[in-house]
Amino acid sequence: MGMGPLNDAASAVESAAALEAAAGAGAVVSAAAVAVVPSAGGSYAVLQCGEDSEYVRQKYSGYFTVFRALLEEDGESWRVYRAVRGELPTDAEAAGFDGFVISGSCADAHGDEPWILDLVDLTRRLHAAGKRFLGVCFGHQILCRALGGRTGRSTKGWDIGVSCIHPTAAAARLFAPLKLPVHMPVIEFHQDEVWELPPTAEVLARSDKTSVEMFRLGDRVMGVQGHPEYSKDILMSIADRLLRHNHILDCQVDVAKASFDVRQPDKELWKKVCRGFLKGRLPSQQQQQQQAVAL
């Protein structure tokens, strides 16, 4: 990951030009504007698509801190944009980032609120410019929608609690250095899902409830339907709030609580999976194909 300052600046200027071309008619970008952002250890941004709950704000200082605990490593630069409030990086700012994380949300990824449409448009432009993406829950669905797939309500209803997802052969190849287990427990909290993948995307994991638990598009886009960043207390604080507002039922909360008695989310494994993909540490599709031919 990290390049020297001069190389970082050059890369950022090239990225800005690509973003401008992808936008069709982007703003003029100055070299000074793009050269300040890069970090020797990599620069990343969280596009936060939901407001911080009072619980998460008081205990963790917000979801941005929760995501950094999952993904951040020494020497990196991280920034948050409140996408849910319409706050998104300009093309000049975006050029200085190596990758983007799109968070979960209580909104529908298939909705047409202005901020969602702006996020979809930005995602397309950044993807065209070659930026890396990790999408979580709502973010997973936004990536799908922005890049040519379809999302909507799950016919199986809410999925709340620790779910056991099953990696595909494609995931086993991609994450071969990690030696993925047959089951990858992760915390889930969703009622929407991916209906149809973008063209050329491939499924990386499935579960009994959800046919697309993970997917990737090339070497730079990965979506995860679950919440690798969550802990039990965060999940239950959300569940209790939704229960109070009659959005879910008592029995669903009971099932969520009981799921933690059966299995625990493998937080360390998910750290390696998410960091590895977002930061480009895994074999590319071309390298995997070459290895398969060699075997």
Side-chain angles (χ1 to χ4, degrees), residues 100 102 123 126-127 131-134 143 220-222 277:
F100 296 85
I102 306 179
T123 300
L126 296 182
H127 176 255
K131 295 298 182 180
R132 306 192 74 87
F133 276 99
L134 172 66
L143 288 173
R220 295 179 178 271
V221 173
M222 185 172 79
F277 192 92

Side-chain angles (χ1 to χ4, degrees), residues 160-162 187-189 232-233 235-237 239-240 243 248-265:
I160 310 173
V162 182
I187 293 175
E188 306 258 12
F189 205 137
K232 180 181 179 180
D233 62 312
L235 174 82
M236 297 316 303
S237 71
D240 289 343
L243 181 61
I248 58 176
L249 304 173
D250 286 288
C251 60
Q252 291 170 314
V253 176
D254 292 340
V255 168
K257 288 179 181 175
S259 71
F260 286 90
D261 296 329
V262 178
R263 61 183 69 89
Q264 294 294 315

Side-chain angles (χ1 to χ4, degrees), residues 50-233:
E51 297 289 356
D52 294 325
S53 67
E54 183 179 354
Y55 177 83
V56 170
R57 189 167 53 249
Q58 289 183 355
K59 182 162 184 180
Y60 296 98
S61 301
Y63 282 115
F64 179 48
T65 303
V66 173
F67 270 106
R68 287 174 64 185
L70 177 74
L71 300 169
E72 187 176 17
E73 296 174 285
D74 291 344
E76 294 175 350
S77 169
W78 283 79
R79 176 173 173 178
V80 63
Y81 291 89
R82 310 283 175 175
V84 69
R85 302 178 190 174
E87 180 187 330
L88 293 171
T90 64
D91 286 353
E93 291 171 335
F97 292 107
D98 298 300
F100 296 85
V101 179
I102 306 179
S103 80
S105 176
C106 61
D108 296 327
H110 53 274
D112 289 327
E113 291 93 325
W115 74 269
I116 294 178
L117 297 180
D118 288 344
L119 177 61
V120 167
D121 181 60
L122 176 71
T123 300
R124 288 173 180 150
R125 297 205 317 273
L126 296 182
H127 176 255
K131 295 298 182 180
R132 306 192 74 87
F133 276 99
L134 172 66
V136 172
C137 197
F138 172 88
H140 159 86
Q141 296 160 19
I142 283 289
L143 288 173
C144 175
R145 174 183 179 178
L147 303 178
R150 295 173 60 239
T151 69
R153 282 280 189 270
S154 169
T155 58
K156 297 182 179 179
W158 284 99
D159 189 359
I160 310 173
V162 182
S163 290
C164 212
I165 74 170
H166 314 294
T168 62
R173 289 192 299 271
L174 175 63
F175 297 103
L178 300 183
K179 295 181 172 57
L180 294 183
V182 177
H183 307 296
M184 297 172 62
V186 67
I187 293 175
E188 306 258 12
F189 205 137
H190 67 100
Q191 62 174 337
D192 293 344
E193 64 180 4
V194 168
W195 283 357
E196 181 182 327
L197 285 173
T200 74
E202 62 180 347
V203 178
L204 295 179
R206 300 183 174 90
S207 70
D208 293 340
K209 265 199 162 184
T210 306
S211 61
V212 184
E213 285 282 2
M214 293 174 66
F215 79 91
R216 76 151 167 175
L217 180 58
D219 299 321
R220 295 179 178 271
V221 173
M222 185 172 79
V224 179
Q225 181 58 72
H227 284 276
E229 81 283 14
Y230 274 12
S231 52
K232 180 181 179 180
D233 62 312

